[in-house]
Amino acid sequence: VCPPGVVPLCCRPPAWDRAARPPPGPLQPPGLPLAPCRSFSNNKIQVDLDESSGIALMKFKSPPVNSLSLEFLTEFSIGLEKLENNRACRGVIITSAVPKIFSSGLDITEMCGKSVEHYSEFWRAVQEMWLRLYGSNMVTVAAVNGSSPAGGCLIALSCDYRIMAENPKFSIGLNEAQLGIVAPFWFKDTFVNVVGHRIAERSLQLGSLHPAPEAHRLGLVDELVPEEKLMEKAAAVMAQWLALPDHARQLTKTMMRKAVLDRLAAHREEDLKNFITFVSKESIQKSLRMYMEMLKKRKS
Ligand code: CO8
């Protein structure tokens, strides 16, 4: 069972028969357009697709912290859908245009003091984003060039490969417990699939945010590189993954991820109800408000 508009991985047409392309060359430095390239920028995400290599670059550009608002999540899902449906696109590199921040996770203001209808629309958008990204047929590489808590970490975990800037000030993790909230089962499943049960269990209970070197040691990120080398490395990793026939790689990806994807797809409405019940509780609202206040105080 898949949400409307999301074609299950196993049913999507294989990309094996796509036109052969030359191996992808190095990506141009961030900020410069790829050539020849097709761009579709909207308010919060810039997308550049280099049709000759089949590689798209998605850059989050929603300052101050790339928080995942309803608008951001909607743009993200639409961007992924456009790339997925474009036969010229085989892989996407996801990174941030905001210095020092990959994404601060779900926009907490979307979960505070809003109507049930709003919570419902917001949570559906979170589910949709994850189903599209985790279930993508494309090769997905996260170039994590800043801090990446909670929902930001989920985006990175949902990719096929994670490269992080080796700055110990940047941290990544599912820190929901620190906010007094609980990561949903599919956040947990995605985390377990990357780092294994024991590390996920400890990290989730403690709501740990791991500095980049520790995240690398735990296997939460696959590689650390100096920040200025991040895009070059992402392009090299992408080239390695794209050297394989799409069809075989995609079927393998489906085999590895299908059970976890199906679990949310089968329990989507239940998950939505749980979220609404949970987030509507006064005790949870209080925790979220206090956390936002703490962020503001820390600043002053
Ligand atoms: N949502 C909304 N606003 C945010 C968020 C956020 N996630 N993060 C930061 N902001 C705001 C800050 O309040 C601040 O606002 P203002 O300028 O009005 O004071 C502004 O963004 C800038 O923030 P900082 O000054 O803190 O920026 P720094 O560069 O110093 O730090 C960080 C950036 C490291 C990202 C820091 O802001 C931070 O730690 N943010 C919180 C991140 C976080 O804990 N996110 C968790 C969100 S919850 C989630 O993703 C999953 C929940 C799933 C389960 C739900 C079940 C109920």
Side-chain angles (χ1 to χ4, degrees), residues 131-145:
L131 287 165
R132 282 198 180 284
L133 182 59
Y134 200 61
S136 175
N137 257 329
M138 300 178 286
V139 174
T140 50
V141 173
V144 184
N145 52 347

Side-chain angles (χ1 to χ4, degrees), residues 19-119:
R21 292 180 194 83
L27 280 184
Q28 293 184 11
L32 291 180
L34 305 167
C37 110
R38 178 164 297 191
S39 300
F40 50 96
S41 176
N42 33 39
N43 287 337
K44 303 197 174 279
I45 303 172
Q46 169 77 34
V47 185
D48 296 297
L49 169 62
D50 177 348
E51 292 195 332
S52 62
S53 67
I55 303 173
L57 181 62
M58 273 190 136
K59 262 187 170 182
F60 300 156
K61 48 155 193 155
S62 182
V65 289
N66 287 331
S67 64
L68 307 176
S69 61
L70 177 58
E71 189 187 345
F72 187 110
L73 291 161
T74 307
E75 282 188 16
F76 193 22
S77 288
I78 291 172
L80 287 170
E81 184 183 17
K82 277 189 187 170
L83 293 175
E84 198 80 57
N85 291 336
N86 186 337
R87 289 172 70 83
C89 184
R90 298 173 67 211
V92 55
I93 295 171
I94 299 174
T95 194
S96 165
V98 175
K100 300 186 190 135
I101 311 284
F102 181 69
S103 163
S104 71
L106 300 191
D107 191 318
I108 298 166
T109 62
E110 300 276 18
M111 301 186 280
C112 270
K114 300 281 196 295
S115 66
V116 165
E117 291 71 28
H118 183 87
Y119 294 145

Side-chain angles (χ1 to χ4, degrees), residues 191-222:
F191 197 23
V192 168
N193 279 358
V194 172
V195 298
H197 198 279
R198 175 60 192 142
I199 290 170
E201 180 181 327
R202 189 176 52 195
S203 183
L204 279 170
Q205 287 196 53
L206 295 174
S208 305
L209 283 173
H210 305 284
E214 187 178 293
H216 183 231
R217 267 199 312 279
L218 295 176
L220 206 169
V221 295
D222 297 297

Side-chain angles (χ1 to χ4, degrees), residues 64-65 67 101 104-108 111 123 149-151 175-176 179 181-182 184 187 275 278 291-292 295-296 298-299:
V65 289
S67 64
I101 311 284
S104 71
L106 300 191
D107 191 318
I108 298 166
M111 301 186 280
W123 198 248
N175 62 323
E176 280 80 354
L179 284 76
I181 56 179
V182 181
F187 282 47
F275 171 75
F278 189 68
Y291 190 75
M292 285 302 280
L295 285 180
K296 287 191 195 307
R298 201 187 53 171
K299 206 169 161 186

